[in-house]
Amino acid sequence: MSRRPPAAWWFLAPALAAIALFFLVPVLASLLLSLTDFDIYAIGDPGTVRFTGLRNYRRLLGDVSFWTALRNTLVFVGIGGPLSLAVSLGGALLVDAPAVRLRGFFRTVYFLPVVTTLVAVAVVWRALYHPRVGPLAVLFEALGLPAVDWLGDPRFAMPAIILMAVWKNFGFNLVIFLAGLQAIPERLYEAARIDGADAWQQLRHVTLPMLAPTFVFVSISTAIGYFQLFAEPYVMTHGGPSDATLSIVLLMYREGFRWWNLGYAAAVAFVLFLLILAASALQLRLQRGTAFGAGLEPRA
């Protein structure tokens, strides 16, 4: 007697098919491509493609540009990610304060950079960072401070890009934090005030623990986005000066679409995929432990 599959599988089948088609197939294709020497000649004649095994990955280990790009990307994620979360949370707390009026206006203003084209933002910030006529240069001159070549000096190029990226992206996280803040029951704050808790203690023992699930989502989505750093250095510095802002995605672009080493570029992409997967799993594990340790039990 044959058993019919549960009806739920029929409802899930379209979504599972879409996931397989648009996620699993590209990942497997990228992995397969990274094991070949696919280049510009193979585009015209696919018969010239050769299976090279792990040669592209061994080449990565000895590629100075890859290690430079990896270090720059980790610096961008390690500094820019937490800074973006801190600015977003601070902004959300200010907008959610009882004394603040026109919250809708502030939400809109803070969200505007998110919906602005990144290339346009990067061009404007290039002008802002101009070492002679930019507003920052004028301000430094007025204060008697030495001029800084923000995008031409390897010491300042990455911090300048981090600052621009934080400004561009903090509004998205702010809106999510604000939604999380407004979902916290007011009775928890009333109970804390009855127990004599001041504002700092309410933030530490009520707000932050209740925002733990929001932190999980925001930190993972921010890290995934920051690992894919590309447009900012591509428009503002082209990866320079001296590869100080070269990211993994920019390196992948150079190898794949400037030098047409598509097999090698696929290897870079697959390493980035594994990095993002590992970082997301680690963040999820650490933050779930923190959240549930604070008394927020996972739903069954």
Side-chain angles (χ1 to χ4, degrees), residues 16-50:
L16 293 176
I19 291 174
L21 179 62
F22 295 107
F23 180 74
L24 294 180
V25 171
V27 170
L28 293 176
S30 173
L31 176 61
L32 183 62
L33 191 64
S34 72
L35 302 176
T36 69
D37 64 349
F38 198 101
D39 56 15
I40 191 171
Y41 301 105
I43 296 176
D45 183 8
T48 61
V49 177
R50 293 173 297 181

Side-chain angles (χ1 to χ4, degrees), residues 255-274:
E255 292 292 337
F257 299 102
R258 180 175 295 178
W259 311 118
W260 293 99
N261 297 320
L262 294 173
Y264 187 64
V268 176
F270 204 76
V271 169
L272 177 62
F273 168 76
L274 294 178

Side-chain angles (χ1 to χ4, degrees), residues 96 98 181-193 202 206:
D96 192 54
L181 287 171
Q182 292 174 351
I184 299 176
E186 181 59 28
R187 64 177 182 276
L188 296 180
Y189 292 106
E190 292 175 357
R193 285 192 290 270
Q202 291 177 41
V206 177

Side-chain angles (χ1 to χ4, degrees), residues 219-294:
S219 60
I220 290 178
S221 61
T222 300
I224 291 174
Y226 276 34
F227 264 114
Q228 301 176 59
L229 172 67
F230 173 72
E232 294 90 341
Y234 179 77
V235 175
M236 298 176 73
T237 62
H238 302 287
S242 303
D243 285 343
T245 57
L246 178 66
S247 66
I248 293 181
V249 179
L250 187 55
L251 174 66
M252 179 180 64
Y253 171 81
R254 283 183 179 177
E255 292 292 337
F257 299 102
R258 180 175 295 178
W259 311 118
W260 293 99
N261 297 320
L262 294 173
Y264 187 64
V268 176
F270 204 76
V271 169
L272 177 62
F273 168 76
L274 294 178
L275 275 175
I276 293 175
L277 190 64
S280 301
L282 180 63
Q283 277 185 300
L284 194 60
R285 185 175 181 81
L286 291 177
Q287 294 187 357
R288 270 189 172 175
T290 303
F292 303 143

Side-chain angles (χ1 to χ4, degrees), residues 74-143:
L74 292 178
V75 167
F76 183 77
V77 175
I79 297 177
L83 184 60
S84 180
L85 293 184
V87 174
S88 301
L89 179 60
L93 289 171
L94 288 176
V95 173
D96 192 54
V100 172
R101 299 291 184 266
L102 302 175
R103 290 178 183 171
F105 170 76
F106 286 112
R107 280 201 304 266
T108 304
V109 169
Y110 290 143
F111 199 73
L112 278 178
V114 180
V115 297
T116 306
T117 306
L118 181 54
V119 174
V121 170
V123 170
V124 171
W125 276 74
R126 277 189 68 178
L128 184 68
Y129 285 138
H130 195 283
R132 292 193 302 274
V133 297
L136 284 178
V138 174
L139 176 63
F140 274 43
E141 184 178 3
L143 296 175

